PDB file of all heavy atoms in Angstrom:
ATOM      1  N   ILE D  11       1.722   5.429  -0.441  1.00  0.00           N
ATOM      2  CA  ILE D  11       1.135   6.676   0.038  1.00  0.00           C
ATOM      3  C   ILE D  11       0.225   7.310  -1.019  1.00  0.00           C
ATOM      4  O   ILE D  11      -0.855   7.790  -0.717  1.00  0.00           O
ATOM      5  CB  ILE D  11       2.262   7.645   0.443  1.00  0.00           C
ATOM      6  CG1 ILE D  11       2.891   7.164   1.749  1.00  0.00           C
ATOM      7  CG2 ILE D  11       1.776   9.069   0.565  1.00  0.00           C
ATOM      8  CD1 ILE D  11       1.942   7.171   2.918  1.00  0.00           C
ATOM      9  N   ILE D  12       0.672   7.235  -2.282  1.00  0.00           N
ATOM     10  CA  ILE D  12      -0.124   7.853  -3.350  1.00  0.00           C
ATOM     11  C   ILE D  12      -1.500   7.209  -3.410  1.00  0.00           C
ATOM     12  O   ILE D  12      -2.522   7.880  -3.539  1.00  0.00           O
ATOM     13  CB  ILE D  12       0.603   7.703  -4.707  1.00  0.00           C
ATOM     14  CG1 ILE D  12       1.936   8.441  -4.655  1.00  0.00           C
ATOM     15  CG2 ILE D  12      -0.262   8.248  -5.846  1.00  0.00           C
ATOM     16  CD1 ILE D  12       2.870   8.088  -5.775  1.00  0.00           C
ATOM     17  N   ASN D  13      -1.520   5.856  -3.271  1.00  0.00           N
ATOM     18  CA  ASN D  13      -2.805   5.160  -3.307  1.00  0.00           C
ATOM     19  C   ASN D  13      -3.700   5.600  -2.167  1.00  0.00           C
ATOM     20  O   ASN D  13      -4.899   5.816  -2.361  1.00  0.00           O
ATOM     21  CB  ASN D  13      -2.580   3.656  -3.243  1.00  0.00           C
ATOM     22  CG  ASN D  13      -2.104   3.098  -4.569  1.00  0.00           C
ATOM     23  OD1 ASN D  13      -1.917   3.853  -5.515  1.00  0.00           O
ATOM     24  ND2 ASN D  13      -1.893   1.810  -4.630  1.00  0.00           N
ATOM     25  N   ILE D  14      -3.109   5.724  -0.960  1.00  0.00           N
ATOM     26  CA  ILE D  14      -3.882   6.174   0.207  1.00  0.00           C
ATOM     27  C   ILE D  14      -4.518   7.523  -0.114  1.00  0.00           C
ATOM     28  O   ILE D  14      -5.702   7.747   0.138  1.00  0.00           O
ATOM     29  CB  ILE D  14      -2.971   6.311   1.447  1.00  0.00           C
ATOM     30  CG1 ILE D  14      -2.588   4.942   1.973  1.00  0.00           C
ATOM     31  CG2 ILE D  14      -3.665   7.130   2.526  1.00  0.00           C
ATOM     32  CD1 ILE D  14      -3.635   4.260   2.785  1.00  0.00           C
ATOM     33  N   PHE D  15      -3.704   8.411  -0.702  1.00  0.00           N
ATOM     34  CA  PHE D  15      -4.225   9.745  -0.997  1.00  0.00           C
ATOM     35  C   PHE D  15      -5.325   9.668  -2.038  1.00  0.00           C
ATOM     36  O   PHE D  15      -6.340  10.344  -1.925  1.00  0.00           O
ATOM     37  CB  PHE D  15      -3.097  10.680  -1.447  1.00  0.00           C
ATOM     38  CG  PHE D  15      -2.379  11.302  -0.302  1.00  0.00           C
ATOM     39  CD1 PHE D  15      -1.234  10.733   0.202  1.00  0.00           C
ATOM     40  CD2 PHE D  15      -2.883  12.442   0.316  1.00  0.00           C
ATOM     41  CE1 PHE D  15      -0.585  11.284   1.293  1.00  0.00           C
ATOM     42  CE2 PHE D  15      -2.250  12.998   1.404  1.00  0.00           C
ATOM     43  CZ  PHE D  15      -1.096  12.428   1.892  1.00  0.00           C
ATOM     44  N   SER D  16      -5.127   8.808  -3.068  1.00  0.00           N
ATOM     45  CA  SER D  16      -6.164   8.779  -4.096  1.00  0.00           C
ATOM     46  C   SER D  16      -7.425   8.122  -3.555  1.00  0.00           C
ATOM     47  O   SER D  16      -8.535   8.529  -3.898  1.00  0.00           O
ATOM     48  CB  SER D  16      -5.650   8.119  -5.383  1.00  0.00           C
ATOM     49  OG  SER D  16      -5.515   6.745  -5.202  1.00  0.00           O
ATOM     50  N   ILE D  17      -7.271   7.136  -2.660  1.00  0.00           N
ATOM     51  CA  ILE D  17      -8.459   6.521  -2.047  1.00  0.00           C
ATOM     52  C   ILE D  17      -9.214   7.562  -1.235  1.00  0.00           C
ATOM     53  O   ILE D  17     -10.435   7.716  -1.358  1.00  0.00           O
ATOM     54  CB  ILE D  17      -8.048   5.335  -1.136  1.00  0.00           C
ATOM     55  CG1 ILE D  17      -7.603   4.146  -1.986  1.00  0.00           C
ATOM     56  CG2 ILE D  17      -9.219   4.929  -0.232  1.00  0.00           C
ATOM     57  CD1 ILE D  17      -6.958   3.033  -1.192  1.00  0.00           C
ATOM     58  N   ALA D  18      -8.461   8.325  -0.418  1.00  0.00           N
ATOM     59  CA  ALA D  18      -9.103   9.332   0.440  1.00  0.00           C
ATOM     60  C   ALA D  18      -9.742  10.420  -0.406  1.00  0.00           C
ATOM     61  O   ALA D  18     -10.871  10.847  -0.139  1.00  0.00           O
ATOM     62  CB  ALA D  18      -8.088   9.928   1.402  1.00  0.00           C
ATOM     63  N   ALA D  19      -9.036  10.831  -1.459  1.00  0.00           N
ATOM     64  CA  ALA D  19      -9.570  11.895  -2.311  1.00  0.00           C
ATOM     65  C   ALA D  19     -10.855  11.431  -2.988  1.00  0.00           C
ATOM     66  O   ALA D  19     -11.845  12.169  -3.030  1.00  0.00           O
ATOM     67  CB  ALA D  19      -8.532  12.292  -3.353  1.00  0.00           C
ATOM     68  N   ARG D  20     -10.854  10.168  -3.479  1.00  0.00           N
ATOM     69  CA  ARG D  20     -12.066   9.659  -4.127  1.00  0.00           C
ATOM     70  C   ARG D  20     -13.217   9.597  -3.133  1.00  0.00           C
ATOM     71  O   ARG D  20     -14.354   9.932  -3.464  1.00  0.00           O
ATOM     72  CB  ARG D  20     -11.809   8.253  -4.689  1.00  0.00           C
ATOM     73  CG  ARG D  20     -10.994   8.292  -5.967  1.00  0.00           C
ATOM     74  CD  ARG D  20     -10.652   6.896  -6.437  1.00  0.00           C
ATOM     75  NE  ARG D  20      -9.779   6.949  -7.598  1.00  0.00           N
ATOM     76  CZ  ARG D  20      -9.483   5.884  -8.332  1.00  0.00           C
ATOM     77  NH1 ARG D  20      -9.979   4.708  -8.024  1.00  0.00           N
ATOM     78  NH2 ARG D  20      -8.696   6.004  -9.372  1.00  0.00           N
ATOM     79  N   ALA D  21     -12.906   9.152  -1.906  1.00  0.00           N
ATOM     80  CA  ALA D  21     -13.957   9.043  -0.891  1.00  0.00           C
ATOM     81  C   ALA D  21     -14.548  10.417  -0.581  1.00  0.00           C
ATOM     82  O   ALA D  21     -15.758  10.557  -0.410  1.00  0.00           O
ATOM     83  CB  ALA D  21     -13.400   8.411   0.376  1.00  0.00           C
TER      84      ALA D  21
ATOM     85  N   LEU M 118      -5.884  -0.862  -5.812  1.00  0.00           N
ATOM     86  CA  LEU M 118      -5.382   0.261  -5.011  1.00  0.00           C
ATOM     87  C   LEU M 118      -4.719  -0.242  -3.735  1.00  0.00           C
ATOM     88  O   LEU M 118      -3.893   0.434  -3.142  1.00  0.00           O
ATOM     89  CB  LEU M 118      -6.530   1.205  -4.650  1.00  0.00           C
ATOM     90  CG  LEU M 118      -6.910   2.254  -5.694  1.00  0.00           C
ATOM     91  CD1 LEU M 118      -8.171   2.970  -5.263  1.00  0.00           C
ATOM     92  CD2 LEU M 118      -5.793   3.261  -5.873  1.00  0.00           C
ATOM     93  N   ARG M 128      -3.119  -0.469 -13.370  1.00  0.00           N
ATOM     94  CA  ARG M 128      -4.393  -0.566 -12.666  1.00  0.00           C
ATOM     95  C   ARG M 128      -5.539  -0.251 -13.626  1.00  0.00           C
ATOM     96  O   ARG M 128      -6.516  -0.984 -13.726  1.00  0.00           O
ATOM     97  CB  ARG M 128      -4.379   0.420 -11.506  1.00  0.00           C
ATOM     98  CG  ARG M 128      -5.579   0.351 -10.611  1.00  0.00           C
ATOM     99  CD  ARG M 128      -5.325   1.114  -9.349  1.00  0.00           C
ATOM    100  NE  ARG M 128      -5.305   2.549  -9.572  1.00  0.00           N
ATOM    101  CZ  ARG M 128      -4.437   3.381  -9.030  1.00  0.00           C
ATOM    102  NH1 ARG M 128      -3.479   2.926  -8.244  1.00  0.00           N
ATOM    103  NH2 ARG M 128      -4.490   4.658  -9.284  1.00  0.00           N
TER     104      ARG M 128
END
Side-chain angles (χ1 to χ4, degrees):
Chain D
I11 287 297
I12 298 166
N13 284 2
I14 287 281
F15 275 94
S16 72
I17 287 170
R20 284 175 185 190
Chain M
L118 276 172
R128 185 167 71 222

